[in-house]
Amino acid sequence: QPSHLIDVGANIGTIVIPAIRRGLFKTGTAIEAHPNNVRLLLANIALNEVNALITVLHRAIGNESGKQIHLREIENDSSTHFIADDGIPVHSLRLDDLTFPAQSLLWMDIEGYEGHALAGAKSLLSSGIPLVSEFNPEFLAKAGGLEAFKHALEGRRIFDLQEGGQSPTTLTDITRRLSVKEKDLQWTDILAIN
């Protein structure tokens, strides 16, 4: 049973804070790239009195550390952003450059950059850490990380949480299922375990 939540793309704390408050995890690491989200995340952590339980890192997670990358906001929606060639500069970090408790769960929703993040988490993944991640084939492909995402999860059992997560499936089968949906609904969350 994981006791530490690693929330990559923590936004304003909508996953990590309730998970800690409800006792699902004892501690958490909230990693968020967007400076406005980080300010709100810190405020929400303080308002919910979980400061001592959640560590906040203002970084983008990728396959390289120390690289300056840029966040581009969706017009009229600063809460939605993605990695681009221009925009708000943010320093990147690899998950493998961080230390986490042994009993952790990796939770990731970073708008298509998940493949890059997992490429920088080879040691963490080899430890057998369970992963919950958004899977949006279009966003992953646009960010150039679809193949890295697939490669990182090779050999893991994949469960489609949108479909109830009862039986293992494959990313190929999930992609096929998503392809017949409306464009803005072609995503799901997956659980990947050893």
Side-chain angles (χ1 to χ4, degrees), residues 28 39 52 60 189:
R39 281 191 285 280
D189 291 312

Side-chain angles (χ1 to χ4, degrees), residues 4-82:
H4 184 84
L5 177 62
I6 306 164
D7 187 358
V8 179
N11 202 283
I12 62 171
T14 54
I15 299 298
V16 68
I17 293 170
I20 300 290
R21 292 283 311 232
R22 293 178 183 158
L24 301 173
F25 296 89
K26 293 178 183 173
T27 57
T29 301
I31 306 171
E32 174 55 42
H34 197 289
N36 291 340
N37 288 351
V38 171
R39 281 191 285 280
L40 291 172
L41 172 63
L42 291 167
N44 284 337
I45 288 170
L47 288 169
N48 282 278
E49 300 175 345
V50 289
N51 305 58
L53 304 174
I54 301 173
T55 301
V56 175
L57 297 174
H58 178 196
R59 290 285 185 267
I61 295 298
N63 57 352
E64 296 179 67
S65 285
K67 181 179 175 184
Q68 183 170 300
I69 59 177
H70 296 89
L71 300 177
R72 184 180 301 156
E73 297 175 336
I74 302 291
E75 191 174 330
N76 300 322
D77 182 5
S78 65
S79 68
T80 302
H81 48 273
F82 55 94

